[in-house]
């Protein structure tokens, strides 16, 4: 009788933690595939230079479909993308589809939001689920001019 309770408790504990960098490959990798062309090949350029377009700062969401906190963040990220259109770009990178980029950015846990200035330089990162209000606060704190 105690074994099933232990398994349930362990399962709940694992589900509540932020996701690590390993897991099954996502079936939907269209966003990551589209972002592959944007990655800079110039080694002297800042790491995020290939993710910057339109001269706007960028928030890069490193995530995976199998990650519950990442799935929870997805609609918030989409909503903010519309709200900040023309001011901040939002890019999603699937860590399963683009492991090299995830390694280059030293992403060890997901979801990870990496804030890049308009030059592609990392200026801030947050790891774990973030509410819309937390992200808005970080946008005004790190992207205000």
């Amino acid at each position: 009788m105690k074994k099933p309770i232990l398994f349930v408790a362990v399962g709940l504990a694992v589900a509540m933690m932020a996701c690590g960098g390993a897991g099954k490959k996502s079936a939907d990798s269209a966003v990551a595939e589209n972002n592959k062309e944007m990655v800079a090949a110039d080694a002297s350029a800042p790491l995020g230079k290939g993710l910057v377009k339109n001269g706007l700062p960028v928030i890069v969401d490193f995530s995976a479909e199998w990650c519950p906190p990442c799935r929870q963040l997805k609609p918030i990220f989409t909503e903010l993308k519309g709200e900040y259109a023309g001011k901040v770009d939002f890019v999603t990178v699937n860590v399963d589809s683009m492991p090299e980029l995830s390694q280059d950015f030293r992403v060890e846990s997901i979801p990870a939001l990496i804030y890049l200035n308009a030059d592609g330089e990392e200026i801030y990162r947050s790891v774990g689920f973030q509410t819309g209000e937390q992200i808005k606060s970080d946008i005004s704190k790190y992207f205000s001019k």
Side-chain angles (χ1 to χ4, degrees):
M1 194 65 146
K2 290 184 181 181
K3 285 185 181 181
I5 294 172
L6 177 61
F7 288 123
V8 170
V10 170
L12 287 173
V14 170
M16 291 173 54
M17 292 187 299
C19 296
K24 65 182 180 181
K25 186 165 182 155
S26 167
D28 179 17
S29 61
V31 174
E33 291 300 319
N34 290 337
N35 291 335
K36 280 185 180 179
E37 298 94 42
M38 297 189 316
V39 179
D42 182 3
S44 65
L47 184 58
K49 187 66 175 172
L51 297 173
V52 172
K53 56 184 176 179
N54 307 322
L56 297 175
V58 179
I59 301 176
V60 185
D61 171 24
F62 286 89
S63 61
E65 288 294 320
W66 49 263
C67 165
C70 300
R71 288 194 310 261
Q72 188 180 10
L73 180 61
K74 188 175 184 175
I76 295 168
F77 204 69
T78 301
E79 180 182 321
L80 293 173
K81 183 177 187 173
E83 186 175 334
Y84 285 91
K87 299 174 190 168
V88 177
D89 281 336
F90 292 77
V91 175
T92 298
V93 174
N94 184 312
V95 297
D96 292 326
S97 299
M98 297 186 70
E100 300 85 13
L101 187 60
S102 303
Q103 290 172 349
D104 291 345
F105 274 94
R106 296 184 180 145
V107 173
E108 296 178 3
S109 186
I110 57 175
L113 298 179
I114 298 182
Y115 294 64
L116 306 173
N117 65 18
D119 295 323
E121 300 167 336
E122 181 177 334
I123 56 174
Y124 177 70
R125 85 171 45 201
S126 63
V127 177
F129 175 78
Q130 302 289 309
T131 66
E133 292 305 313
Q134 289 169 317
I135 296 170
K136 286 180 182 183
S137 174
D138 290 338
I139 289 172
S140 32
K141 185 175 184 180
Y142 296 104
F143 292 154
S144 63
K145 294 183 179 186

